[in-house]
Amino acid sequence: MSTPSKTPSDKTNSRRHHQSTDPSMSTRSASEFRTRFEAYNRLQSAAVAFGEKLPIPEIVAIGGQSDGKSSLLEALLGFRFNIREVEMGTRRPLILQMVHEPGALEPRCRFQEEDSEEYGSPIVLSSAIADIIKSRTEALLKRTHCAVSSKPIVMRAEYAHCPNLTIIDTPGFVLKAKKGEPENTPDEILSMVKTLASPPHRILLFLQQSSVEWCSSLWLDAVREIDPTFRRTIIVVSKFDNRLKEFSDRWEVDRYLSASGYLGENTRPFFVALPKDKSTVSNEEFRRQISQVDLEVLHHLREGVKGGFDEEKFRSYIGFACLRDYLESELQKRYKEAAPATLALLEQRCNEVTTELARLESKIQATSDVAHLRRSAMLHASFICNHVGALIDGAADPAPEQWGKTTSEEQSESGIGSWPGITASIKPPNARLRLYGGAAFERVMHEFRCATYSVECPQVSREKVANILLAHAGRGGGRGVAEAAAEIARAAAQSWLAPLLDTACDRLAFVLGNLFDLAVERNHHRDSGYGTKHGEMDRYVGFSAALRHSYSRFIKDLAKQCKQLVQQHLDSVTSPYSQVCYENDFLGTYGSDANSVYRFNQASAASFCLELSDGGTALRDDTTKDQENIRPEKNAQQTTPGKVAEAREALRESQMTVPETPSPDQPSDGNYVGVKKELGNIIEVGARKRHPRIVDNSRNMDHLRVQKAGSLLFMSGDNNSRSGSAYSEICSLAAQHFARIREVLIERSVTSTLNSGFLTPCRDRLVVALGLELFGVNDEKFMDMFVAPGAIDILQNEQQSLQKRQKILHSCLNEFKTVARTL
């Protein structure tokens, strides 16, 4: 597509120029061009009003602020309106839609309303045009708090003496901001002009006054950045009459007109001079002066220069009339070439607007249909609950690599961190794997076991032991050393195990809380896979937020209930009426049987832990060495990890026969050796009264032992070593009782309670709980989740805007269909 800046031959260009200005152009051709021109003008107005980005062929005038753009626009319009006085070129673009209307003997100018495709009333006085441009510019800049704005002003001018031409006049380039303007105003203008001129469907009309040499042109480099080869640039040398007096010989004129060495071999700029008389004259006189200046320039080149100039090569580029005719013919040609593509694009946009309007109307209808919303919302909630259950039972989608979490990530993101009271690093199997759902739940359960089995019975002070024993001795009680050790173990279990139970509930609640996002993602994936539309409920932000909130509250309530249940179990096994602390004593006679039962419990619990991460063997070896991180293995005894030797010593002591009157040299034994008890009683856990038979058989012996141990604790002199032996015996018994309480609590009570307290409700009661909270309300409260205050009005306003936009685009489409038929 050729322009004067890339004409392959002067003869071809001259012939094209004469064709465009041929007065014998048929009436039919003129009518067709008028139809195309009007269609593009309407489309341009619609694009400005609705923000459409359409590749409409347009001419964009750019140049310095004093390079004559305003004078050129007035000459093209055929009348003056003092556009220079408002300096609108420095603030806001102006789209001039010039319509050649033979019947309009006086200019009829109308401005397009802001944010609308409608035009206002015609402007009677030409001087009022400048005032409207100034007021609109100032109002917009004040509202947007900017020095310049890219939002254009659209003016339509119908006149018998103007061509069918549309030009976008841009703010003029400036080197320095005016007084009162921000310092970055020149940069903002340059950036805005580049944005306006960058689209490839726009023709650049670059003006530069003749007094500026090509080699020193500042703005020519800016144009080169936009259009490096000047392929779509028309260069105009303004104020050409100021340069004429410098030419004396033909070669000087021809060299200047060719602009060789700066614009390229095929670049041919236009040379234009306009009247300098700024006095108020009639429109007819103004047009006569323009023609007179053209004649004077040609006369000077022919008569005032020795040898004249190369008219065959340069005549079609000299004078305002040549430029005006070329712009009109070039735009006409671009319109004709772009019509098919514009028609196709309009059809696409019309379809898009129709689809968007249908979606909006469906949304408005759905918003007002409460029954439909209830059905859709219930279905969506049930799908989410089903996905939660599937994730708990075991699922591998969505991708665990993306959605799963390692143990350290769970600790960090939950804000819980390490286990309370545990200084050692707890490293459960599969800690490095990214897990979620039921797998992550089981890993936390095993981590909880590792944490609890790493807790040792805390060291008890002599003062505490003395307070317990002396109080018993003072009132003649017969609870004995074993009862004192059991009381110490129960207090330690309450103090150290209760925080671990709460932390386990919080960690498990965090794992289950994360399942909501996974369930939503899983639902999206299934919807896209099966082509369903259940995901449409996600567009209702209020309902999605309410569903998420209800789910979170359900999980928090489960965590609260589980904390109460496990605390009840802890209170039960640490109750004074519980026989847990004496089960080892009853099993003393059946030592091998008791150990086998314990080992069976340990082995069955440990069978649930499988190390699947890389380096699992090494990790297992490390955790075996660090016994704080694992529960006792099959061959381990019932004792606190790290206390193996002490446990063996305690076991040997439990198998010894205690004399009725213990010697100060021999530690008192808290085990009831020789007392027969049925093996079935060892599994009884909970608050119940101890059997009188046990108390009766041991009352006298315990009374003697309390008195003996109490005296041993406070002996002085030579008996100090013996007091240490009695104190160690009580601590050892307390450690054994603590380990037994922990084992019974974790293996018999807590594990099953947490599973039934968390997982079973999520499978069986989640959908009912969410349904009652979200849908068991009246219609007004239910609709609050879907319709915000004023939302219906916003949707209806958007609908009206889309309907108006659809109407305009369909009108433009019909016009372009008519244009296409004439091509």
Side-chain angles (χ1 to χ4, degrees):
M1 192 169 302
S2 60
T3 69
S5 61
K6 63 180 191 66
T7 304
S9 67
D10 300 323
K11 293 182 180 181
T12 303
N13 182 74
S14 178
R15 182 166 55 251
R16 183 173 60 248
H17 167 71
H18 290 301
Q19 290 174 353
S20 64
T21 58
D22 186 359
S24 62
M25 179 184 293
S26 66
T27 304
R28 181 181 176 184
S29 298
S31 176
E32 291 174 357
F33 173 60
R34 175 67 180 268
T35 303
R36 284 194 298 270
F37 184 76
E38 288 289 359
Y40 273 108
N41 276 352
R42 283 179 55 80
L43 185 58
Q44 187 179 55
S45 299
V48 172
F50 298 109
E52 291 281 357
K53 301 295 184 182
L54 299 175
I56 304 172
E58 297 166 322
I59 297 176
V60 181
I62 61 177
Q65 193 168 6
S66 59
D67 286 341
K69 290 193 290 86
S70 300
S71 298
L72 179 63
L73 291 179
E74 288 183 338
L76 290 170
L77 285 170
F79 64 93
R80 281 179 172 168
F81 57 92
N82 298 324
I83 195 172
R84 294 176 302 279
E85 294 183 2
V86 299
E87 296 181 352
M88 68 89 193
T90 62
R91 300 300 183 97
R92 193 174 173 186
L94 175 67
I95 298 179
L96 287 177
Q97 295 177 341
M98 308 175 204
V99 180
H100 177 68
E101 181 58 58
L105 301 180
E106 293 295 331
R108 294 199 299 257
C109 299
R110 292 183 300 166
F111 284 89
Q112 184 178 343
E113 299 294 340
E114 300 280 15
D115 302 320
S116 173
E117 80 283 358
E118 301 295 335
Y119 286 86
S121 302
I123 306 300
V124 178
L125 298 176
S126 299
S127 59
I129 296 175
D131 297 333
I132 294 176
I133 293 174
K134 182 177 181 180
S135 62
R136 288 196 175 191
T137 300
E138 291 178 350
L140 179 63
L141 297 181
K142 184 178 180 180
R143 187 168 63 250
T144 58
H145 305 286
C146 299
V148 295
S149 174
S150 61
K151 186 175 182 179
I153 297 174
V154 181
M155 187 181 82
R156 178 183 175 90
E158 299 175 358
Y159 195 26
H161 303 284
C162 73
N164 288 313
L165 192 64
T166 298
I167 292 184
I168 303 176
D169 185 31
T170 62
F173 298 129
V174 292
L175 294 175
K176 187 177 181 180
K178 294 192 306 182
K179 185 177 181 180
E181 289 184 339
E183 294 295 329
N184 64 339
T185 299
D187 295 333
E188 289 189 10
I189 292 175
L190 181 61
S191 176
M192 181 178 65
V193 171
K194 286 183 177 180
T195 301
L196 291 172
S198 293
H201 60 271
R202 286 180 171 168
I203 304 170
L204 277 61
L205 182 64
F206 172 60
L207 277 76
Q208 178 174 274
Q209 55 183 307
S210 61
S211 59
V212 178
E213 299 294 338
W214 296 116
C215 60
S216 59
S217 175
L218 296 176
W219 309 128
L220 186 63
D221 293 335
V223 175
R224 232 185 224 106
E225 293 179 8
I226 303 171
D227 184 21
T229 61
F230 301 120
R231 182 179 180 181
R232 55 187 180 92
T233 302
I234 301 172
I235 299 177
V236 178
V237 178
S238 61
K239 304 178 182 180
F240 182 52
D241 51 340
N242 293 336
R243 191 75 182 238
L244 293 177
K245 59 184 179 181
E246 300 180 10
F247 304 133
S248 58
D249 294 327
R250 174 170 176 160
W251 68 269
E252 294 176 334
V253 178
D254 292 345
R255 185 179 65 176
Y256 180 78
L257 296 178
S258 64
S260 59
Y262 300 101
L263 303 181
E265 292 297 329
N266 296 324
T267 302
R268 294 291 183 266
F270 284 86
F271 300 88
V272 176
L274 296 172
K276 294 183 178 180
D277 184 10
K278 304 304 179 184
S279 60
T280 302
V281 297
S282 63
N283 294 336
E284 184 178 356
E285 177 61 21
F286 176 58
R287 293 190 298 273
R288 190 197 67 79
Q289 290 178 0
I290 293 175
S291 299
Q292 183 63 32
V293 171
D294 279 353
L295 293 175
E296 292 175 356
V297 169
L298 288 174
H299 178 75
H300 181 82
L301 290 175
R302 290 167 178 164
E303 305 296 335
V305 177
K306 185 179 179 179
F309 71 104
D310 191 345
E311 291 198 38
E312 183 181 359
K313 189 174 183 180
F314 300 113
R315 172 63 185 89
S316 58
Y317 299 103
I318 297 175
F320 168 77
C322 295
L323 174 62
R324 180 191 61 190
D325 293 342
Y326 178 78
L327 291 176
E328 187 175 14
S329 63
E330 185 68 16
L331 191 60
Q332 177 183 355
K333 184 181 67 173
R334 297 292 181 97
Y335 280 166
K336 185 175 181 179
E337 293 173 348
T342 305
L343 178 61
L345 182 61
L346 271 176
E347 290 178 343
Q348 177 184 343
R349 291 297 172 86
C350 287
N351 292 335
E352 292 174 354
V353 172
T354 301
T355 303
E356 180 67 16
L357 186 60
R359 186 196 65 80
L360 188 61
E361 291 175 348
S362 175
K363 186 174 181 180
I364 294 175
Q365 182 180 3
T367 304
S368 59
D369 188 351
V370 181
H372 173 76
L373 278 179
R374 281 186 179 273
R375 288 192 299 271
S376 300
M378 288 180 180
L379 189 62
H380 180 76
S382 66
F383 284 143
I384 296 299
C385 295
N386 290 338
H387 288 310
V388 169
L391 291 167
I392 289 175
D393 293 337
D397 64 302
E401 297 83 1
Q402 178 182 356
W403 294 88
K405 299 182 187 299
T406 63
T407 296
S408 61
E409 289 174 345
E410 287 179 359
Q411 293 173 344
S412 174
E413 296 180 18
S414 65
I416 298 174
S418 60
W419 296 87
I422 306 298
T423 58
S425 177
I426 304 301
K427 299 177 181 178
N430 306 309
R432 299 185 181 91
L433 294 182
R434 295 186 177 275
L435 306 178
Y436 57 63
F441 188 94
E442 290 301 323
R443 183 174 62 185
V444 173
M445 289 293 296
H446 189 70
E447 184 183 355
F448 165 66
R449 292 190 186 97
C450 292
T452 53
Y453 279 101
S454 68
V455 177
E456 297 181 5
C457 183
Q459 191 70 22
V460 185
S461 64
R462 293 177 182 271
E463 287 77 7
K464 187 172 184 179
V465 174
N467 273 275
I468 295 174
L469 289 180
L470 288 180
H472 293 164
R475 62 175 181 263
R479 298 178 67 182
V481 173
E483 188 65 25
E487 184 173 344
I488 294 172
R490 287 192 288 265
Q494 281 282 359
S495 175
W496 289 87
L497 298 183
L500 295 177
L501 294 172
D502 286 347
T503 301
C505 292
D506 291 336
R507 284 285 303 279
L508 294 174
F510 176 77
V511 169
L512 296 179
N514 287 336
L515 295 186
F516 184 85
D517 289 329
L518 276 78
V520 172
E521 178 65 21
R522 185 182 172 93
N523 194 47
H524 287 167
H525 179 71
R526 295 298 174 91
D527 287 349
S528 61
Y530 295 110
T532 57
K533 298 182 179 179
H534 304 140
E536 290 183 357
M537 294 303 297
D538 294 336
R539 69 185 181 185
Y540 296 106
V541 179
F543 172 72
S544 298
L547 181 60
R548 179 185 295 272
H549 177 71
S550 297
Y551 179 82
S552 299
R553 184 156 53 187
F554 179 79
I555 297 300
K556 288 180 181 179
D557 290 342
L558 291 184
K560 183 178 179 181
Q561 295 170 9
C562 286
K563 286 181 180 181
Q564 294 174 350
L565 289 175
V566 294
Q567 183 63 43
Q568 291 174 4
H569 286 300
L570 179 61
D571 293 341
S572 176
V573 297
T574 57
S575 169
Y577 298 97
S578 173
Q579 296 299 305
V580 171
C581 294
Y582 305 104
E583 289 185 7
N584 282 350
D585 298 334
F586 305 147
L587 295 174
T589 307
Y590 312 98
S592 60
D593 294 336
N595 291 334
S596 63
V597 171
Y598 177 72
R599 286 195 299 270
F600 173 78
N601 291 336
Q602 295 289 74
S604 62
S607 64
F608 291 102
C609 298
L610 301 175
E611 176 57 65
L612 303 176
S613 60
D614 294 338
T617 304
L619 179 60
R620 193 179 302 111
D621 293 342
D622 292 342
T623 55
T624 303
K625 295 177 182 178
D626 185 3
Q627 294 192 19
E628 291 185 351
N629 291 340
I630 61 171
R631 295 171 44 252
E633 299 296 338
K634 285 186 177 182
N635 58 353
Q637 300 297 327
Q638 178 184 342
T639 183
T640 304
K643 290 289 199 175
V644 177
E646 192 173 321
R648 291 174 179 170
E649 182 64 26
L651 180 62
R652 285 195 296 270
E653 291 179 359
S654 68
Q655 296 172 347
M656 296 170 61
T657 301
V658 182
E660 293 186 0
T661 304
S663 171
D665 298 331
Q666 185 177 7
S668 300
D669 189 358
N671 297 322
Y672 294 85
V673 180
V675 179
K676 302 296 183 181
K677 185 171 178 66
E678 292 79 10
L679 184 60
N681 291 336
I682 69 171
I683 63 173
E684 297 182 15
V685 180
R688 65 182 178 86
K689 188 172 180 180
R690 286 176 291 161
H691 297 288
R693 176 173 58 84
I694 301 174
V695 177
D696 292 340
N697 290 341
S698 59
R699 187 184 306 275
N700 295 332
M701 182 179 67
D702 281 347
H703 178 69
L704 294 174
R705 293 174 66 189
V706 168
Q707 291 180 341
K708 188 68 177 178
S711 62
L712 288 174
L713 283 171
F714 301 101
M715 282 184 179
S716 59
D718 295 336
N719 294 326
N720 284 341
S721 59
R722 297 179 181 180
S723 67
S725 177
Y727 172 73
S728 299
E729 180 184 3
I730 293 175
C731 292
S732 176
L733 289 175
Q736 293 181 45
H737 295 332
F738 178 85
R740 184 58 183 166
I741 291 173
R742 177 183 59 193
E743 189 270 337
V744 171
L745 179 69
I746 302 306
E747 304 302 335
R748 299 187 188 180
S749 304
V750 171
T751 301
S752 60
T753 298
L754 292 179
N755 276 279
S756 61
F758 275 111
L759 301 184
T760 302
C762 286
R763 294 188 183 100
D764 301 340
R765 292 194 291 111
L766 177 60
V767 65
V768 177
L770 298 186
L772 288 175
E773 182 172 354
L774 295 176
F775 310 120
V777 296
N778 57 36
D779 289 346
E780 182 179 358
K781 189 173 182 180
F782 174 77
M783 291 302 294
D784 289 342
M785 294 186 293
F786 296 88
V787 182
I792 294 295
D793 295 336
I794 295 176
L795 291 177
Q796 290 176 347
N797 292 336
E798 186 179 352
Q799 181 188 29
Q800 293 176 1
S801 177
L802 277 176
Q803 289 173 344
K804 199 171 185 180
R805 180 179 174 188
Q806 183 188 43
K807 180 180 178 181
I808 294 296
L809 288 177
H810 274 290
S811 176
C812 293
L813 177 61
N814 293 332
E815 289 189 50
F816 271 89
K817 287 182 178 179
T818 303
V819 170
R821 285 193 292 267
T822 63
L823 294 178

